[in-house]
Amino acid sequence: MIQLEENKSIENLTTIGVKGTTYRYCKIEKTSNLISILKSNSLPIKVLGGGSNILWTKKFNGLTIHINTKGVSVEKETNSHVIVNINAGENWHEFVIWSIRNNYGGVENLALIPGNIGAAPIQNIGAYGVELKEVFVECLAINIKTLKSKVFSVEECEFGYRDSIFKNQEKNNYIITSVKVKLSKKGHHKFATKYGDIEKIVKKNSLSPSKIAKAVIEIRTSKLPDPKQIGNCGSFFKNPIIDEVLFEVLLKKYPEIPNYPSKNKYKIPAAWLIEKLNYKGYRDGDAGVHKDQALILVNYGNSSGLEIFNLSKKIRKEVLDVFEINLTPEVNIW
Ligand code: EPU
């Protein structure tokens, strides 16, 4: 039996903790229940996982499906690798901890990323020099209209920086139900330590998945607000990628501008642009910009989703006026 709730508050279901309601709500513990609910439903739907990348700005007059299917299993094992299948409702960080306990390598740089497994492929989660696509094998997803399952290989997912087919051609068409990743076993790990702060913390000659994860956790907790203490949804904007012409103009004006060149383009930290406009630590009511990381918008307690959204619009407009850069939200605005 799937329990349908009515006019449910979503305040505790997203990490930014703004108030909001959904007309109908159900929590799915088994994939078969997901199919039953999709079959019987005629309302518009939204799919909720860990709620870490969502800003709720208005009442939703449809059905919110909260995916909570659990299960982690090793499907295949060789001398060097394991293929692990994880159900969509598993918490990403708990999966990283499980991998580290088993001394499997590949996801240690992605420790402490909030959110669930099912959302990870949608934006190709990434941090500290590693992206999901590097360990991703395939995912299983249900087509919302036909109810047929489809396997998406790594190529079919068309992963990019915070991007995939699920944000483009297949936006809102599929619900991801499980993900398979390939992790390395002891003696076969390849560590990514290039990201400056990691190199400073871990010694090169004694690397392990657990030591890297520990370093990442140390870096993240020193810079990023814990959503349990201050509501937030991680980076609010993507780091913009600009062309050479604009880059040269900006470089003349701001010789200190941090940048990451790639294929005649330049990725600029959005946090730097926002900090340059003096927004770091800014607060208007209970909506604000984090004091240690300008890319993170925070809810100090009673901000509404709309107030956070309006602050994001104000920042976008100023960044556009001053730097001629159009920031794209990384967060889904609901
Ligand atoms: N910077 C500032 N001001 C700040 C913070 C950063 O000027 O307040 C500048 C500095 O020059 C710094 C650079 O921005 O060197 C990069 O900062 P940081 O390493 O903190 O990373 P980021 O580019 O702001 C991205 C991801 C994060 C991820 C980190 C580490 C995006 C949108 N965000 O942030 O992901 O943890 O790199 O890899 O790509 C998330 O997606 O929610 C997230 C937290």
Side-chain angles (χ1 to χ4, degrees):
M1 223 354 230
I2 312 151
Q3 212 192 331
L4 271 181
E5 293 178 49
E6 237 167 70
N7 293 322
K8 164 120 177 146
S9 158
I10 53 79
E11 191 176 348
N12 297 321
L13 298 177
T14 68
T15 57
I16 196 152
V18 296
K19 291 191 175 57
T21 46
T22 171
Y23 169 54
R24 285 258 163 90
Y25 167 89
C26 69
K27 201 173 189 173
I28 297 294
E29 314 281 352
K30 283 197 293 191
T31 304
S32 54
N33 285 349
L34 175 60
I35 297 172
S36 324
I37 199 90
L38 288 172
K39 261 188 195 156
S40 59
N41 172 62
S42 56
L43 295 169
I45 63 167
K46 287 198 184 297
V47 183
L48 186 65
S52 59
N53 214 27
I54 288 162
L55 181 66
W56 216 288
T57 57
K58 52 182 174 293
K59 181 179 177 184
F60 177 49
N61 285 313
L63 168 70
T64 299
I65 302 178
H66 189 176
I67 307 288
N68 200 40
T69 50
K70 303 284 185 195
V72 181
S73 56
V74 174
E75 296 238 314
K76 212 169 145 190
E77 183 159 6
T78 65
N79 283 341
S80 55
H81 287 90
V82 284
I83 306 282
V84 186
N85 189 64
I86 321 120
N87 280 334
E90 285 284 346
N91 173 273
W92 174 266
H93 180 65
E94 279 170 25
F95 165 64
V96 173
I97 297 295
W98 175 91
S99 306
I100 289 159
R101 285 212 183 106
N102 286 288
N103 203 7
Y104 296 145
V107 288
E108 55 279 358
N109 295 51
L110 306 178
L112 224 56
I113 293 187
N116 287 357
I117 294 286
I122 296 177
Q123 63 155 348
N124 180 27
I125 57 168
Y128 305 102
V130 172
E131 290 184 347
L132 174 73
K133 70 171 186 200
E134 288 155 54
V135 293
F136 183 93
V137 177
E138 61 185 38
C139 66
L140 190 63
I142 293 178
N143 184 303
I144 288 171
K145 288 203 182 90
T146 65
L147 303 186
K148 287 208 176 97
S149 286
K150 176 173 159 56
V151 173
F152 284 86
S153 68
V154 66
E155 293 79 19
E156 284 171 316
C157 285
E158 296 177 10
F159 288 128
Y161 164 62
R162 295 289 193 278
D163 203 23
S164 78
I165 194 164
F166 303 108
K167 284 179 108 177
N168 296 293
Q169 297 99 291
E170 299 297 3
K171 194 176 165 133
N172 299 329
N173 290 345
Y174 283 90
I175 299 179
I176 294 171
T177 52
S178 63
V179 173
K180 276 192 188 36
V181 296
K182 184 177 177 181
L183 302 177
S184 55
K185 286 170 66 175
K186 198 173 175 193
H188 301 272
H189 300 317
K190 284 192 189 120
F191 296 112
T193 55
K194 282 274 176 294
Y195 200 92
D197 290 347
I198 295 184
E199 255 173 354
K200 276 183 221 151
I201 299 175
V202 281
K203 288 195 194 83
K204 266 248 150 82
N205 55 1
S206 67
L207 293 176
S208 70
S210 109
K211 281 188 185 149
I212 296 206
K214 232 175 127 196
V216 168
I217 290 170
E218 191 180 319
I219 299 165
R220 284 188 80 104
T221 42
S222 72
K223 282 192 192 169
L224 307 178
D226 176 358
K228 286 188 193 114
Q229 321 255 313
I230 308 175
N232 74 87
C233 31
S235 304
F236 199 92
F237 301 103
K238 292 204 237 181
N239 286 328
I241 297 167
I242 61 171
D243 64 28
E244 204 159 1
V245 177
L246 179 58
F247 178 65
E248 292 300 335
V249 172
L250 292 175
L251 195 61
K252 268 208 186 108
K253 257 184 161 169
Y254 312 99
E256 76 285 13
I257 190 167
N259 62 89
Y260 309 95
S262 118
K263 297 181 207 144
N264 297 330
K265 300 220 172 207
Y266 297 83
K267 193 194 259 187
I268 310 292
W272 185 87
L273 302 169
I274 297 168
E275 181 169 346
K276 198 79 189 159
L277 298 174
N278 285 323
Y279 273 108
K280 197 165 177 172
Y282 173 91
R283 181 168 177 171
D284 182 3
D286 270 358
V289 176
H290 191 245
K291 64 175 181 30
D292 300 322
Q293 224 305 356
L295 194 49
I296 298 185
L297 302 192
V298 292
N299 170 15
Y300 284 103
N302 286 313
S303 174
S304 68
L306 206 55
E307 282 167 316
I308 304 263
F309 182 58
N310 286 339
L311 173 57
S312 79
K313 280 208 300 202
K314 188 169 151 158
I315 292 171
R316 274 182 89 175
K317 182 174 182 309
E318 239 174 274
V319 168
L320 187 62
D321 289 349
V322 175
F323 302 106
E324 286 179 50
I325 292 178
N326 194 2
L327 289 183
T328 317
E330 198 223 68
V331 165
N332 296 299
I333 314 291
W334 280 10

